[in-house]
Amino acid sequence: MKEADTAMPRILVCFGTRPEAIKMFPVVHALREHGGMDVRVAVTAQHREILDQVLQVGGIVPDIDLDLMRPDQSLDELAARILTTFGKALDEWQPARVLVHGDTLTTMMVTLSSYFRKIPVGHVEAGLRSGNIYSPWPEEVNRKVAGAISDLHFAPTDGAAAALRAENVPQSAIHVTGNTVIDALFATRDKVADEPALASGLDMVAARFAGKRIIALTAHRRENFGQGMQDIAQAISDLATRNDVAVIFPVHPNPNVRPVMEAALGGRENIALIEPLDYPHFVRLMEMADLLLTDSGGVQEEGPSFGKPVLVMRDTTERPEGITAGTARLVGTDRALIVREATRLLDDRDAYNAMARAHNPYGDGKASRRIARAVAAAHGVGTPR
């Protein structure tokens, strides 16, 4: 690790998964652009290859790489390794603050490790709650633990801030910033516009499905493993019987996802089961798509920025603002309901437009700058450069 400038407060930004990296690379850049802080990045590499793709696109080189990914590791094994290895990194560098994101196992264990050393934690995308500790699982508890320990809470929406106040978080500790995924989305969209080759890998798939309406699909959530994944696969199979529709599905490498989807959907003429996409290609896929089906959290926030209706294949969501605004609709993993709602949007232009034109409640692309100002102020750093 490089020698730190001890005159400046040390800020350590930590994440471990692809979605975290997408949402945190704009924060890293905003902190560094603000100035007056020694900003470093630590990754647990809870996801390895797909994390590295985002780091490259986001222009982030980790200062600390714990490289903790192992095949088929259990949650308790990973949790123990994050806690002990990250603790050593904290002892070595002794930051003034740690920043974490969202609701992953990395988030919870890094927060605990920091707490054991009385290092304050700032929580980006704070206050999301479903009210059910098993849905999403284990994310609901991960973020509640982080919220109980953090002293700076960067809530993406007013609803998230209200959830924090309901848990007795002081108003002075809450900053409503918008969601940093919109910052990342706009930055990547502009980068792809300047350098189309960054997302050219979808060109052959797009040509293959010319004239068809594209359904973009993502599915990876733990609580959907087993019967839920099988029901999602059968619903997609039903939708693919339409001659006017094609499905593009970047299949998550998790062994609870890939074999199920390949068995049910492999070899279908109008279904493309492709490898996980780097972020520029995924942004391009959302632009191409007519409809987004997902159990992801981030897609619920990103899709509305492109005017794409989102069907959420979960029973609950910690992002109710999209449901309220009309940009997203919960369909769970119910095979018949997924097919019915997707068909309605494909066939009813008024229903489609009502979702596509709804206001995106998740931000304006300036969340990272707001976070950087709040972190700097907490450590006595003046106005940005």
Side-chain angles (χ1 to χ4, degrees), residues 25 29 53-60 183-200 278-281 283-284 287 306:
F25 82 72
H29 290 310
Q53 293 172 352
V54 179
L55 293 173
Q56 183 175 6
V57 171
I60 300 295
D183 305 22
L185 183 70
F186 290 167
T188 305
R189 178 197 61 191
D190 294 345
K191 192 169 185 178
V192 170
D194 292 338
E195 303 176 55
L198 288 173
S200 61
D278 63 21
Y279 194 52
H281 281 93
V283 169
R284 177 71 183 115
E287 285 189 297
F306 288 132

Side-chain angles (χ1 to χ4, degrees), residues 20-232:
E20 288 176 289
I22 290 169
K23 294 183 176 185
M24 287 298 264
F25 82 72
V27 176
V28 173
H29 290 310
L31 288 166
R32 288 173 172 166
E33 288 167 5
H34 185 289
M37 295 170 281
D38 185 7
V39 181
R40 305 293 173 90
V41 175
V43 298
T44 64
Q46 184 179 332
H47 296 168
R48 179 74 271 173
E49 292 182 7
I50 54 181
L51 169 69
D52 291 344
Q53 293 172 352
V54 179
L55 293 173
Q56 183 175 6
V57 171
I60 300 295
V61 178
D63 300 279
I64 304 168
D65 190 337
L66 302 180
D67 195 22
L68 296 181
M69 183 176 176
R70 303 290 184 275
D72 299 324
Q73 61 191 339
S74 67
L75 292 177
D76 48 4
E77 289 171 331
L78 177 59
R81 292 214 318 280
I82 294 173
L83 188 64
T84 55
T85 56
F86 187 72
K88 293 176 182 177
L90 289 176
D91 292 339
E92 179 183 350
W93 198 48
Q94 299 182 356
R97 173 171 300 279
V98 171
L99 289 183
V100 298
H101 178 275
D103 53 22
T104 69
L105 201 59
T106 289
T107 302
M108 180 170 70
M109 303 318 294
V110 163
T111 300
L112 278 174
S113 188
S114 301
Y115 168 71
F116 292 156
R117 290 156 179 81
K118 297 184 179 180
I119 298 172
V121 176
H123 188 195
V124 177
E125 198 177 84
L128 276 64
R129 299 290 186 270
S130 71
N132 182 345
I133 64 171
Y134 296 109
S135 180
W137 173 83
E139 288 85 359
E140 180 77 355
V141 165
N142 291 344
R143 59 191 173 219
K144 284 174 70 70
V145 170
I149 294 173
S150 300
D151 72 324
L152 287 179
H153 304 259
F154 301 112
T157 64
D158 290 329
L164 291 167
R165 289 193 295 270
E167 296 175 357
N168 298 316
V169 175
Q171 178 62 45
S172 60
I174 301 170
H175 302 265
V176 179
T177 61
N179 199 301
T180 61
V181 76
I182 308 302
D183 305 22
L185 183 70
F186 290 167
T188 305
R189 178 197 61 191
D190 294 345
K191 192 169 185 178
V192 170
D194 292 338
E195 303 176 55
L198 288 173
S200 61
L202 284 173
D203 291 349
M204 291 183 63
V205 179
R208 171 183 164 192
F209 294 146
K212 294 186 181 292
R213 304 182 70 184
I214 303 297
I215 297 175
L217 172 67
T218 72
H220 72 280
R221 187 70 63 171
R222 281 180 181 269
E223 71 261 26
N224 287 342
F225 289 175
Q227 189 61 49
M229 282 294 163
Q230 294 177 26
D231 291 342
I232 289 171

Side-chain angles (χ1 to χ4, degrees), residues 350-365:
D350 290 338
Y352 183 94
N353 287 338
M355 292 186 72
R357 295 173 182 170
H359 168 69
N360 183 0
Y362 294 112
D364 58 3

